[in-house]
Short mmCIF file of all heavy atoms in Angstrom, two decimals:
data_model
loop_
_atom_site.label_atom_id
_atom_site.label_comp_id
_atom_site.label_asym_id
_atom_site.label_seq_id
_atom_site.Cartn_x
_atom_site.Cartn_y
_atom_site.Cartn_z
N THR P 311 10.24 9.77 -13.82
CA THR P 311 9.46 9.44 -14.98
C THR P 311 8.19 8.72 -14.63
O THR P 311 8.13 8.08 -13.49
CB THR P 311 10.30 8.60 -16.02
OG1 THR P 311 9.67 8.57 -17.18
CG2 THR P 311 10.62 7.26 -15.49
N ASP P 312 7.14 8.80 -15.49
CA ASP P 312 5.95 8.05 -15.31
C ASP P 312 5.31 7.97 -16.77
O ASP P 312 5.61 8.75 -17.64
CB ASP P 312 5.01 8.88 -14.39
CG ASP P 312 3.90 7.98 -13.77
OD1 ASP P 312 3.08 7.41 -14.64
OD2 ASP P 312 3.81 7.75 -12.58
N VAL P 313 4.33 7.02 -16.86
CA VAL P 313 3.72 6.89 -18.09
C VAL P 313 2.58 7.94 -18.30
O VAL P 313 2.03 8.22 -19.41
CB VAL P 313 3.14 5.57 -18.34
CG1 VAL P 313 4.27 4.53 -18.59
CG2 VAL P 313 2.33 5.02 -17.32
N ARG P 314 1.99 8.39 -17.19
CA ARG P 314 0.86 9.23 -17.17
C ARG P 314 1.32 10.72 -17.40
O ARG P 314 2.15 11.28 -16.72
CB ARG P 314 0.09 9.12 -15.80
CG ARG P 314 -0.61 7.85 -15.68
CD ARG P 314 -1.37 7.74 -14.35
NE ARG P 314 -0.43 7.93 -13.19
CZ ARG P 314 -0.45 9.09 -12.44
NH1 ARG P 314 -1.24 10.06 -12.75
NH2 ARG P 314 0.45 9.21 -11.49
N ALA P 315 0.59 11.34 -18.33
CA ALA P 315 1.03 12.75 -18.77
C ALA P 315 0.86 13.67 -17.40
O ALA P 315 1.61 14.67 -17.19
CB ALA P 315 0.18 13.32 -19.76
N ALA P 316 -0.21 13.49 -16.68
CA ALA P 316 -0.54 14.29 -15.44
C ALA P 316 0.62 14.32 -14.50
O ALA P 316 0.71 15.39 -13.69
CB ALA P 316 -1.75 13.82 -14.70
N ALA P 317 1.47 13.31 -14.52
CA ALA P 317 2.46 13.27 -13.44
C ALA P 317 3.55 14.32 -13.68
O ALA P 317 4.28 14.79 -12.65
CB ALA P 317 3.26 11.86 -13.55
N LYS P 318 3.79 14.83 -14.93
CA LYS P 318 4.93 15.78 -15.18
C LYS P 318 4.72 17.05 -14.25
O LYS P 318 5.72 17.46 -13.60
CB LYS P 318 4.75 16.20 -16.71
CG LYS P 318 5.86 17.06 -17.22
CD LYS P 318 5.68 17.31 -18.70
CE LYS P 318 6.93 18.03 -19.17
NZ LYS P 318 7.15 19.41 -18.85
N GLU P 319 3.59 17.63 -14.15
CA GLU P 319 3.36 18.92 -13.39
C GLU P 319 3.64 18.67 -11.96
O GLU P 319 4.25 19.43 -11.31
CB GLU P 319 2.00 19.38 -13.71
CG GLU P 319 1.67 20.88 -13.38
CD GLU P 319 0.40 21.20 -13.58
OE1 GLU P 319 -0.27 20.84 -14.55
OE2 GLU P 319 -0.06 21.92 -12.58
N GLN P 320 3.13 17.40 -11.48
CA GLN P 320 3.24 17.13 -10.06
C GLN P 320 4.81 17.00 -9.67
O GLN P 320 5.22 17.47 -8.70
CB GLN P 320 2.53 15.85 -9.76
CG GLN P 320 1.04 16.18 -9.80
CD GLN P 320 0.23 14.84 -9.81
OE1 GLN P 320 0.77 13.82 -9.99
NE2 GLN P 320 -1.01 14.91 -9.58
N VAL P 321 5.54 16.37 -10.60
CA VAL P 321 6.94 16.10 -10.33
C VAL P 321 7.70 17.34 -10.40
O VAL P 321 8.53 17.69 -9.46
CB VAL P 321 7.48 15.20 -11.50
CG1 VAL P 321 9.06 15.19 -11.49
CG2 VAL P 321 6.98 13.72 -11.29
N GLU P 322 7.44 18.25 -11.46
CA GLU P 322 8.12 19.50 -11.51
C GLU P 322 7.82 20.45 -10.39
O GLU P 322 8.63 21.23 -9.83
CB GLU P 322 7.80 20.21 -12.76
CG GLU P 322 8.48 19.43 -13.96
CD GLU P 322 8.16 19.94 -15.29
OE1 GLU P 322 7.15 20.66 -15.53
OE2 GLU P 322 8.78 19.41 -16.29
N SER P 323 6.52 20.42 -9.73
CA SER P 323 6.17 21.24 -8.61
C SER P 323 6.99 20.91 -7.40
O SER P 323 7.04 21.73 -6.47
CB SER P 323 4.67 21.27 -8.31
OG SER P 323 4.35 19.92 -7.82
N LEU P 324 7.56 19.65 -7.40
CA LEU P 324 8.42 19.31 -6.23
C LEU P 324 9.93 19.55 -6.46
O LEU P 324 10.77 19.30 -5.66
CB LEU P 324 8.20 17.77 -5.90
CG LEU P 324 6.86 17.42 -5.42
CD1 LEU P 324 6.75 15.83 -5.42
CD2 LEU P 324 6.67 17.90 -3.96
N GLY P 325 10.12 20.28 -7.62
CA GLY P 325 11.58 20.73 -7.88
C GLY P 325 12.41 19.54 -8.51
O GLY P 325 13.60 19.70 -8.50
N ALA P 326 11.84 18.55 -9.07
CA ALA P 326 12.58 17.52 -9.73
C ALA P 326 12.32 17.68 -11.33
O ALA P 326 11.34 18.32 -11.75
CB ALA P 326 11.98 16.06 -9.30
N SER P 327 13.19 17.14 -12.11
CA SER P 327 12.90 17.21 -13.48
C SER P 327 12.24 15.90 -14.05
O SER P 327 12.40 14.88 -13.44
CB SER P 327 14.40 17.41 -14.25
OG SER P 327 15.11 16.44 -13.91
N PHE P 328 11.38 16.09 -15.00
CA PHE P 328 10.56 15.03 -15.47
C PHE P 328 11.16 14.53 -16.95
O PHE P 328 11.45 15.27 -17.73
CB PHE P 328 9.08 15.48 -15.72
CG PHE P 328 8.18 14.28 -16.00
CD1 PHE P 328 7.74 13.48 -15.02
CD2 PHE P 328 7.80 14.06 -17.38
CE1 PHE P 328 6.85 12.41 -15.32
CE2 PHE P 328 6.93 12.84 -17.56
CZ PHE P 328 6.44 12.09 -16.51
N ILE P 329 11.20 13.10 -16.98
CA ILE P 329 11.73 12.50 -18.13
C ILE P 329 10.49 11.98 -18.93
O ILE P 329 9.79 11.11 -18.54
CB ILE P 329 12.65 11.42 -17.86
CG1 ILE P 329 13.85 11.82 -16.98
CG2 ILE P 329 13.15 10.74 -19.08
CD1 ILE P 329 14.47 10.83 -16.13
N THR P 330 10.20 12.68 -20.06
CA THR P 330 9.03 12.21 -20.87
C THR P 330 9.66 11.19 -21.87
O THR P 330 10.60 11.42 -22.62
CB THR P 330 8.51 13.37 -21.66
OG1 THR P 330 8.13 14.34 -20.77
CG2 THR P 330 7.31 13.01 -22.55
N ILE P 331 8.98 10.04 -21.93
CA ILE P 331 9.41 9.03 -22.96
C ILE P 331 8.66 9.24 -24.30
O ILE P 331 9.29 9.10 -25.32
CB ILE P 331 9.02 7.51 -22.33
CG1 ILE P 331 9.62 7.33 -21.01
CG2 ILE P 331 9.50 6.43 -23.38
CD1 ILE P 331 11.11 7.42 -20.91
N ASP P 332 7.30 9.36 -24.22
CA ASP P 332 6.50 9.47 -25.39
C ASP P 332 5.21 10.35 -25.03
O ASP P 332 4.30 9.89 -24.40
CB ASP P 332 6.09 8.15 -25.81
CG ASP P 332 5.32 8.15 -27.31
OD1 ASP P 332 4.58 9.22 -27.37
OD2 ASP P 332 5.37 7.16 -27.95
N GLU P 333 5.18 11.64 -25.59
CA GLU P 333 4.10 12.47 -25.07
C GLU P 333 2.82 12.08 -25.70
O GLU P 333 1.75 12.01 -24.93
CB GLU P 333 4.40 13.94 -25.82
CG GLU P 333 4.83 14.84 -24.64
CD GLU P 333 5.03 16.23 -25.19
OE1 GLU P 333 3.95 16.80 -25.72
OE2 GLU P 333 6.17 16.62 -25.38
#
Side-chain angles (χ1 to χ4, degrees):
T311 188
D312 199 298
V313 291
R314 293 176 302 107
K318 182 174 192 291
E319 199 184 315
Q320 293 167 344
V321 165
E322 288 173 349
S323 74
L324 291 170
S327 53
F328 190 78
I329 302 156
T330 302
I331 307 294
D332 180 334
E333 255 182 66

